[in-house]
Amino acid sequence: MGNRIYLDHAATTPMLPEAIAAVEGGMRRWANPSSPHAEGRAARAALEDARARIKAALDWDGEVILTSGASESIAIALGRTQGGVRIVSAVEHDSVLRAVPGAERFPVSSDGRIDRDAFGPALRRAGERPVVAVQHVNSETGVVQPIGEIAKAVHAAGGLLFSDCAQSAGRLPTPDADLIAVSAHKLGGPPGVGALLVRDPAMLIPSGGQERGYRAGTENLAGVLGFAAALEAIGPRTEGVADWVSAHIANRNRLDAALEAVGGVAICGPSLRSPLVATYRMPGMQSAAQLVRFDLSGFAVSAGSACSSGTLKASPVMEALRLDPIEAGQVVRVSFGQTTTAAEIDAFAAAWTTMACEATHRAA
């Protein structure tokens, strides 16, 4: 599509060459992994090898249930975990809020991290063995939650912790949670495949079918092979963070500074955030207008998570951060991937500056 600049990697990121090759190879293994004949056994062996590679890449010593993606993993974790009351943070992804619409939502502070003063009482109100959902990296703001601290509190209360790691898996160390949702297409793998990492399968109610009886449906062998290949291709870690992720810290900080210099607001800017996801508010211009202008100028960005950015409703994340309706309607999300360059980020900053100055001039 010409010289367009793609800055919506949090929605989905281009498949890595290694993942594409693995999917192509998997499509030639056409047998059903559940079939007992030689062809089926060969497909099963390939599937189990990929499962082991996914576990190794994520440094996970529990079980891996292969799914169609993070949304299904979330539905299984919150719908079939044997536990008590479900409670969730107020800034969870839409798929979590849809899975447990009646769950109590505990608030976050202005920095986007869970409000510790409210979290403790919420745990106590939940009673025995609560199931708690806290996203590792927020899909709209990039705020990184202190999952280790949260896990200690949840386990001390006799509960179980579920963490949506769609935006962090393969980029940050796998956190200490009991159940974890992972999506392949967020990290360079194919769409339509993901995993639920489970510390102890006994905590789940089985449903029959494939995946040790915890998921029905023929396994997506080609997708799983691409998933494993993408995780392995992300590369070596430096202090627990992939090199290419570390390289974006300076780029994201430079973008923060450039936009703030012309009146932009980095949502949760002072917080610990992933260098790959950021949301900015442009005073004086609605998100929809910004998206059209940026798109016409050759930039692909969004107004929030891909599952909700097409709606006209205010983002629950922005509401939880206590932005008023006008402010919440002025934000766009910018997210980076392995293909993003510093020059592309600078080009976006220049386009933002032009647009923001026009908005300021009209307001005057």
Side-chain angles (χ1 to χ4, degrees):
M1 298 182 68
N3 295 319
R4 290 181 59 82
I5 295 175
Y6 185 76
L7 297 173
D8 197 21
H9 292 268
T12 196
T13 197
M15 281 182 67
L16 296 169
E18 295 88 345
I20 294 173
V23 170
E24 290 176 346
M27 287 181 172
R28 297 186 183 93
R29 298 173 181 259
W30 44 265
N32 190 319
S34 296
S35 296
H37 46 61
E39 291 85 353
R41 294 196 304 274
R44 169 60 60 183
L47 184 80
E48 295 307 324
D49 177 70
R51 190 194 310 272
R53 290 160 55 202
I54 290 168
K55 287 180 64 173
L58 294 173
D59 193 24
W60 182 252
D61 58 4
E63 183 61 86
V64 172
I65 298 173
L66 300 168
T67 68
S68 63
S71 293
E72 185 187 8
S73 297
I74 288 166
I76 293 172
L78 295 178
R80 301 222 310 269
T81 295
Q82 302 188 71
V85 171
R86 274 57 169 161
I87 61 174
V88 305
S89 85
V91 289
E92 293 302 299
H93 189 273
D94 275 359
S95 55
V96 169
L97 303 181
R98 288 195 302 268
V100 283
E104 178 179 353
R105 303 183 191 183
F106 50 87
V108 295
S109 301
S110 58
D111 62 0
R113 303 183 110 194
I114 67 163
D115 185 333
R116 289 173 171 81
D117 292 336
F119 182 55
L123 268 179
R124 289 190 290 274
R125 285 194 301 273
E128 294 184 6
R129 201 173 167 79
V131 179
V132 183
V134 181
Q135 191 176 37
H136 189 194
V137 170
N138 188 268
S139 53
E140 295 185 39
T141 64
V143 169
V144 182
Q145 296 288 356
I147 297 297
E149 296 177 21
I150 295 168
K152 289 179 181 178
V154 171
H155 293 154
L160 299 170
L161 177 63
F162 164 73
S163 188
D164 170 9
C165 292
Q167 297 296 342
S168 64
R171 281 91 65 169
L172 297 176
T174 303
D176 180 24
D178 300 291
L179 305 107
I180 291 174
V182 182
S183 174
H185 76 100
K186 305 289 189 180
L187 49 81
V193 65
L196 176 63
L197 311 187
V198 184
R199 188 71 65 192
D200 178 6
M203 68 179 66
L204 289 179
I205 300 171
S207 62
Q210 288 75 17
E211 290 302 294
R212 280 82 163 164
Y214 293 103
R215 177 185 186 263
T218 301
E219 295 93 339
N220 178 3
L221 176 59
V224 172
L225 292 173
F227 185 10
L231 277 169
E232 292 172 340
I234 287 177
R237 306 298 198 266
T238 299
E239 296 181 351
V241 183
D243 292 341
W244 62 275
V245 176
S246 299
H248 277 315
I249 294 175
N251 291 333
R252 202 276 320 280
N253 290 344
R254 191 167 72 252
L255 181 59
D256 284 358
L259 303 192
E260 289 172 346
V262 290
V265 179
I267 304 299
C268 299
S271 299
L272 174 63
R273 293 180 291 158
S274 163
L276 305 179
V277 184
T279 294
Y280 301 97
R281 183 170 71 86
M282 183 186 294
M285 186 173 291
Q286 290 298 296
S287 305
Q290 293 180 55
L291 294 182
V292 171
R293 291 280 300 274
F294 282 128
D295 193 32
L296 292 174
S297 299
F299 298 93
V301 294
S302 70
S305 65
C307 297
S308 61
S309 61
T311 72
L312 296 177
K313 298 187 299 181
S315 160
V317 173
M318 296 301 116
E319 291 180 345
L321 292 173
R322 302 171 186 82
L323 272 68
D324 66 39
I326 292 176
E327 294 172 336
Q330 296 173 337
V331 300
V332 296
R333 182 183 68 179
V334 182
S335 49
F336 310 149
Q338 293 198 57
T339 58
T340 306
T341 67
E344 290 176 335
I345 295 170
D346 290 342
F348 176 76
W352 172 288
T353 297
T354 298
M355 198 182 302
C357 289
E358 291 176 2
T360 301
H361 179 74
R362 287 196 301 273

